[in-house]
């Protein structure tokens, strides 16, 4: 059963041609799947009933079904989506002056084991297909009757551990005959998988690269993020420099501030020194008080002081606006309360 929803238009043409369908059907089906984001073949009204039945039997649509939906006082909306095999993933819709941005998941769970992230509880159950990543966008657009113009691969999972499907998702998301999202309006967040960053640089996709850093030295970062034992800062920072040089795009570094762990002025100065010499930006994130590991956000005034120290040392920095605190908007919190898929 070929997954038509994960195919580019040329691939779809070849697949349907091999199944005896005329070429024009590929454009029709691509439009229904990628632009309109249908969840059932019966919605494809310009296809005959016989063809819809055939497609349903041979090529099911792997759509996302909203199992839970929480709406914050600030307008943030969090979804728990159930997939076709019973696995669950989360998506978070953020409302900004410039429009809507959706944070999507690329895996059901995560194997990377970061000390403060709820997504890693239970490890990684499986990778998502490109259609399942796209399906989160389509499901939210259908539910709220909006157009999502910005997408962030910063939900559950490590996108670069599912690189093949993520690259396919990116190709489909920017297709002018599909969602038509600008590549510059797509961000990908990684914990620091060096070979994947190198591949993104080579492809020059135009997206924004965000790297979860969270510590300015190897010892602390390895204790918080096991990935650092595989790809230490001495490998990670040079590949990020290379990404900025090759693509001409600034690299964003996510830095979750943990009270008494990584929020001292000395650590701010060390972080600024680490990122000196290439276009980089630090996004400071006071940790969610409901995060895994029992970490607490910084004491009052510490976050602003950390930013000021960074900027005095020459590093550009902003403090992320906190959204969705009242609806467990941090990654993994909602999924961990969901019943597991049937075995």
């Amino acid at each position: 059963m070929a997954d038509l929803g994960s195919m580019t238009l040329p691939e779809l043409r070849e697949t349907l041609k091999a199944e005896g369908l005329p070429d024009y059907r590929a454009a029709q089906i691509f439009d229904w799947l990628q632009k309109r984001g249908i969840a059932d073949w019966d919605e494809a009204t310009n296809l005959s009933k016989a063809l819809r039945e055939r497609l349903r039997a041979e090529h099911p649509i792997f759509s996302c079904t909203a199992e839970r939906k929480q709406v914050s006082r600030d307008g943030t909306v969090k979804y728990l989506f159930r997939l076709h095999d019973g696995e669950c993933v989360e998506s978070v819709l953020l409302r900004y002056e410039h429009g809507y941005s959706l944070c999507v998941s690329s895996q059901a769970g995560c194997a990377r084991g970061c000390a403060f992230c709820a997504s890693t509880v239970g490890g990684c159950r499986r990778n998502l297909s490109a259609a399942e990543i796209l399906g989160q966008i389509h499901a939210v657009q259908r539910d709220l009757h909006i157009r999502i113009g910005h997408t962030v691969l910063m939900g559950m999972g490590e996108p670069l551990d599912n690189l093949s499907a993520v690259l396919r998702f990116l190709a489909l998301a920017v297709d002018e005959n599909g969602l038509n999202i600008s590549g510059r309006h797509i961000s990908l967040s990684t914990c620091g998988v060096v070979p994947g960053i190198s591949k993104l640089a080579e492809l020059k996709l135009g997206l924004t690269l965000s790297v979860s850093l969270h510590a300015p030295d190897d010892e602390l970062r390895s204790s918080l993020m096991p990935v650092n034992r595989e790809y230490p800062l001495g490998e990670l920072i040079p590949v990020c420099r290379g990404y900025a040089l090759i693509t001409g795009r600034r690299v964003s570094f996510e830095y979750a501030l943990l009270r008494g762990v990584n929020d001292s002025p000395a650590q701010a100065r060390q972080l600024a020194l680490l990122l000196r010499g290439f276009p980089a930006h630090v996004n400071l994130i006071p940790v969610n008080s409901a995060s895994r590991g029992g970490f607490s956000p910084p004491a009052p005034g510490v976050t602003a002081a950390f930013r000021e120290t960074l900027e005095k040392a020459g590093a550009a920095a902003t403090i992320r606006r906190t959204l969705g605190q009242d609806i467990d908007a941090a990654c993994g919190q909602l999924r961990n309360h969901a019943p597991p898929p049937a075995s």
Side-chain angles (χ1 to χ4, degrees):
M1 286 189 181
D3 178 9
L4 301 186
S6 292
M7 291 185 184
T8 63
L9 183 54
E11 291 170 336
L12 191 56
R13 285 195 177 105
E14 287 300 312
T15 298
L16 297 180
K17 180 180 179 181
E19 296 181 5
L21 292 175
D23 187 70
Y24 73 90
R25 287 298 192 195
Q28 289 178 324
I29 290 171
F30 190 85
D31 180 77
W32 285 112
L33 292 174
Q34 300 301 334
K35 188 172 187 177
R36 308 187 193 216
I38 60 172
D40 188 282
W41 285 115
D42 279 340
E43 297 174 55
T45 52
N46 62 350
L47 305 181
S48 69
K49 182 177 180 180
L51 179 54
R52 295 198 302 267
E53 290 299 324
R54 175 180 167 183
L55 290 169
R56 179 179 291 106
E58 298 178 4
H59 302 293
I61 297 173
F62 297 114
S63 58
C64 301
T65 302
E67 182 148 310
R68 285 188 69 185
K69 173 183 173 182
Q70 295 182 331
V71 182
S72 170
R73 291 185 296 270
D74 60 33
T76 300
V77 185
K78 183 162 189 176
Y79 291 87
L80 178 70
F81 287 119
R82 185 75 69 175
L83 305 179
H84 67 96
D85 61 352
E87 293 292 348
C88 284
V89 296
E90 297 175 356
S91 302
V92 180
L93 180 78
L94 306 171
R95 302 171 190 260
Y96 297 105
E97 290 183 2
H98 57 69
Y100 295 97
S101 179
L102 187 69
C103 181
V104 297
S105 296
S106 56
Q107 296 179 306
C110 183
R112 287 297 176 174
C114 296
F116 44 82
C117 183
S119 290
T120 196
V121 175
C124 178
R125 298 278 297 182
R126 69 169 176 87
N127 287 332
L128 269 60
S129 68
E132 289 173 322
I133 305 173
L134 289 161
Q136 297 165 64
I137 301 175
H138 290 308
V140 174
Q141 290 190 150
R142 283 197 309 270
D143 181 50
L144 298 179
H145 307 289
I146 59 171
R147 183 183 184 276
I148 292 167
H150 296 71
T151 303
V152 186
L153 286 153
M154 199 181 285
M156 294 169 51
E158 165 52 57
L160 298 184
D161 284 343
N162 187 18
L163 185 58
S164 177
V166 164
L167 291 178
R168 187 170 288 275
F169 159 78
L170 292 170
L172 291 166
V174 302
D175 194 303
E176 62 181 9
N177 296 308
L179 287 168
N180 195 25
I181 299 174
S182 168
R184 289 182 173 269
H185 292 169
I186 299 177
S187 297
L188 183 149
S189 178
T190 174
C191 65
V193 180
V194 165
I197 296 173
S198 295
K199 183 65 176 178
L200 292 177
E202 174 190 330
L203 294 173
K204 297 182 183 178
L205 298 176
L207 53 77
T208 299
L209 176 67
S210 294
V211 178
S212 296
L213 200 58
H214 309 315
D217 64 86
D218 279 321
E219 182 179 2
L220 177 57
R221 191 166 190 267
S222 292
S223 70
L224 296 172
M225 304 179 69
V227 68
N228 196 71
R229 300 165 200 160
E230 186 177 0
Y231 304 114
L233 293 172
E235 295 181 31
L236 175 60
I237 299 303
V239 81
C240 291
R241 290 177 185 271
Y243 182 91
L245 179 65
I246 292 168
T247 65
R249 301 297 309 276
R250 182 179 72 173
V251 179
S252 177
F253 290 91
E254 309 290 326
Y255 196 96
L257 285 163
L258 315 172
R259 181 182 294 206
V261 177
N262 65 353
D263 62 350
S264 73
Q267 287 166 317
R269 290 188 289 270
Q270 190 177 4
L271 176 60
L273 183 63
L274 182 69
L275 303 181
R276 183 170 294 172
F278 72 105
H281 179 268
V282 181
N283 194 7
L284 298 173
I285 311 159
V287 72
N288 191 306
S289 57
S291 68
R292 174 175 173 261
F295 295 101
S296 301
V302 169
T303 298
F306 196 95
R307 175 188 175 183
E308 183 178 354
T309 303
L310 279 175
E311 292 183 333
K312 283 182 177 178
T318 54
I319 299 171
R320 179 185 289 177
R321 183 162 62 105
T322 301
L323 296 172
Q325 289 270 27
D326 57 318
I327 57 166
D328 295 332
C331 294
Q333 290 179 258
L334 197 57
R335 173 179 176 267
N336 291 336
H337 300 299
S343 57

